[in-house]
Amino acid sequence: MFPKVRSMNEPVEKLPPVVADSLKRFTAAKFGIKPQTLQIADVKQGGWSDGCLGLSEEEACTMALVSGWIVTLTNEQYCWVYHTAGVGNFRLNRGVSNVPDNFSNL
């Protein structure tokens, strides 16, 4: 079951529009879907203890406190949960995302 999509009247926890647009464009390009089909279902403020935004895949990560957001995007079929610290600095949380099986690199 996908998270409820927020109505336009509900506040998004200070996610800059440029970050939301960047995530939508990136997801659309990688999955071959139209950006306008993606909805922001949830935004939470997040914080991590490393530059990999808490989602290291066994690579070296800088050790630093990083603040940002946990953003959930949905369309009619899939759900993507990203950790982001700004434009171009985001990672897909594969453990909680529902993405196509044939998608292996992000």
Side-chain angles (χ1 to χ4, degrees):
M1 186 102 206
F2 294 124
K4 175 184 165 264
V5 174
R6 293 180 183 272
S7 77
M8 293 301 285
N9 298 327
E10 294 179 70
V12 173
E13 295 180 43
K14 299 181 184 175
L15 178 69
V18 68
V19 175
D21 291 342
S22 176
L23 283 171
K24 286 180 181 181
R25 283 192 317 272
F26 175 82
T27 302
K30 285 289 187 184
F31 288 89
I33 57 177
K34 296 178 181 179
Q36 60 268 30
T37 66
L38 295 168
Q39 300 285 326
I40 294 179
D42 192 34
V43 175
K44 296 177 184 158
Q45 292 180 326
W48 304 277
S49 61
D50 60 58
C52 291
L53 307 178
L55 297 172
S56 171
E57 294 184 6
E58 299 186 24
E59 76 268 31
C61 302
T62 58
M63 299 308 292
L65 295 177
V66 180
S67 61
W69 303 270
I70 300 169
V71 181
T72 303
L73 297 179
T74 62
N75 69 3
E76 292 181 8
Q77 293 181 293
Y78 301 107
C79 175
W80 298 264
V81 179
Y82 291 98
H83 292 189
T84 180
V87 175
N89 186 4
F90 49 82
R91 287 181 170 243
L92 180 67
N93 186 336
R94 294 175 188 273
V96 295
S97 295
N98 169 24
V99 298
D101 291 335
N102 64 350
F103 189 71
S104 61
N105 59 353
L106 179 58

